[in-house]
Amino acid sequence: MSNNRLKVVFLGPLASFSHQAAAESFKNTDAELIPHVSFADAFSAVQDQTADFAVIPFENSTNGSVVQTLDLLADRTSLYTDVKVCGEYYLTVHHCLLVRKGTYPSGWSGYDGSITKLYTHPQAWGQCENVLSTHFKGIERQDVSSTSKAAEIVAKETGEKAGAIASKFAAEHHGLDILMENIEDRADNTTRFLILRNTRVERTGSLAFEKRSPMDSTGITNKTLISFAVDHASPGALANALLIFKAHGLNLTSINTRPSLKRAWQYVFFVECGQAPSKENKEAVLQVLDDLRRATESCRDWGTWKDQLCVRAAS
């Protein structure tokens, strides 16, 4: 690192939800927030030690997992061997329909149905389906790399009447009008971000960026993420792997899969489990990994961190 200031990368451009999550996660630290144009670039920055941390969207409460992140965590060619998850952040996501300044002076009441194209990140379509199907059925939808990029495109668009689904912060940043506010299907629409670090960078191992809970330690849980692959031709291979977690008292909270790309219709499995922070449960994670190495073709520990959902509920 060229100086002592922390470098935190996020999925850019500026004014994206990832930018907001990074700013809020590291608001109590002297951190430089740096946009990156792709998920892979953010992972590589941590692996190459050009950044201390990365803040990456992992899943949304309405629309499910972010497959780009899962694909990078699958790490099929071992590009990110030093990267681990060290934390998480929950961001309540409020989407707005944005248009160029002055396009509809009367706002939604004066909207005449003239928008011909909508831009946003693929995850946002599913989070706003009620408004889209009611008021914009049949309108062309264009996927872009982030919601903030959608706002940037609309701000520069002059040839047609276009709209962007993005945040209020993006509207302010790009100088757009808000045609409709809070258009997400659910008011509790939340995205969970993972915070990544390089295990070889000592100063990232003890940074207290996580929000502290007013609850005592008995009310807090840790989360652990483990990936593995099994022999699909062996009957019960997946069931046997999952039973290992039960045998050591770890509570499975989610399971995801991505294609292994080694053979068609074979998968990498991602298991997230929760446990109360204790010496015994730390040993349980190690015992699970030891047993998984014997029961699977491959496995990897992606890290253990404080469950911020418990912190949100307690605060």
Side-chain angles (χ1 to χ4, degrees), residues 17 26 37 43 60 64 95 98 106 121 180 192 195 201 279 304 314:
F17 286 112
F26 290 87
V37 297
F43 267 71
N60 177 266
H95 290 298
L98 311 181
S106 301
H121 185 273
M180 299 179 72
R192 178 161 69 117
I195 302 172
V201 180
K279 182 178 180 180
T304 297

Side-chain angles (χ1 to χ4, degrees), residues 25-305:
S25 295
F26 290 87
K27 64 182 178 181
N28 295 322
T29 65
D30 181 24
E32 179 184 1
L33 305 181
I34 306 167
H36 276 47
V37 297
S38 74
F39 289 82
D41 285 347
F43 267 71
S44 295
V46 174
Q47 175 63 34
D48 300 340
Q49 299 184 29
T50 57
D52 294 290
F53 296 95
V55 179
I56 304 294
F58 184 61
E59 65 176 336
N60 177 266
S61 60
T62 301
N63 213 37
S65 300
V66 179
V67 295
Q68 297 97 322
T69 299
L70 288 176
D71 278 336
L72 290 165
L73 290 172
D75 200 16
R76 303 173 183 94
T77 54
S78 300
L79 293 175
Y80 312 113
T81 54
D82 299 327
V83 175
K84 272 201 171 184
V85 182
C86 63
E88 64 182 9
Y89 187 79
Y90 288 84
L91 178 69
T92 302
V93 175
H94 296 297
H95 290 298
C96 302
L97 178 62
L98 311 181
V99 294
R100 287 195 309 277
K101 185 74 71 175
T103 305
Y104 304 102
S106 301
W108 180 246
S109 63
Y111 176 61
D112 58 4
S114 58
I115 288 177
T116 58
K117 185 184 290 188
L118 295 172
Y119 296 87
T120 196
H121 185 273
Q123 282 277 318
W125 301 123
Q127 297 169 23
C128 306
E129 190 56 45
N130 289 341
V131 165
L132 291 171
S133 60
T134 301
H135 300 290
F136 299 95
K137 190 173 184 179
I139 300 300
E140 180 182 351
R141 300 181 184 184
Q142 180 66 55
D143 292 345
V144 292
S145 58
S146 72
T147 55
S148 183
K149 184 64 176 179
E152 179 186 348
I153 291 171
V154 169
K156 295 177 178 179
E157 182 65 68
T158 59
E160 62 182 346
K161 288 189 176 179
I165 295 175
S167 66
K168 185 176 181 179
F169 181 49
E172 295 169 351
H173 183 82
H174 293 289
L176 296 171
D177 285 340
I178 297 175
L179 188 61
M180 299 179 72
E181 195 168 356
N182 297 336
I183 64 171
E184 63 274 2
D185 293 346
R186 295 179 59 95
D188 61 353
N189 183 35
T190 302
T191 294
R192 178 161 69 117
F193 293 80
L194 297 183
I195 302 172
L196 310 178
R197 63 176 285 262
N198 186 307
T199 58
R200 295 181 181 273
V201 180
E202 184 176 347
R203 71 174 184 165
T204 65
S206 58
L207 182 66
F209 60 84
E210 296 173 314
K211 184 178 180 182
R212 299 304 176 187
S213 171
M215 299 171 65
D216 61 41
S217 60
T218 59
I220 299 300
T221 60
N222 284 340
K223 289 180 180 176
T224 298
L225 179 64
I226 295 173
S227 62
F228 61 85
V230 299
D231 179 2
H232 285 61
S234 176
L238 176 58
N240 291 337
L242 295 178
L243 285 171
I244 291 171
F245 292 87
K246 179 180 179 181
H248 292 289
L250 300 185
N251 180 36
L252 273 62
T253 55
S254 73
I255 302 174
N256 284 287
T257 66
R258 291 301 293 155
S260 70
L261 300 187
K262 293 181 178 179
R263 186 176 299 173
W265 316 120
Q266 295 193 2
Y267 304 92
V268 177
F269 297 90
F270 298 89
V271 169
E272 200 169 25
C273 53
Q275 72 278 357
S278 67
K279 182 178 180 180
E280 291 77 12
N281 282 329
K282 185 176 182 180
E283 291 297 320
V285 172
L286 296 176
Q287 292 166 359
V288 163
L289 289 165
D290 190 47
D291 288 353
L292 280 174
R293 291 186 184 100
R294 291 191 290 268
T296 64
E297 292 184 337
S298 63
C299 69
R300 178 170 175 177
D301 174 18
W302 278 98
T304 297
W305 63 93

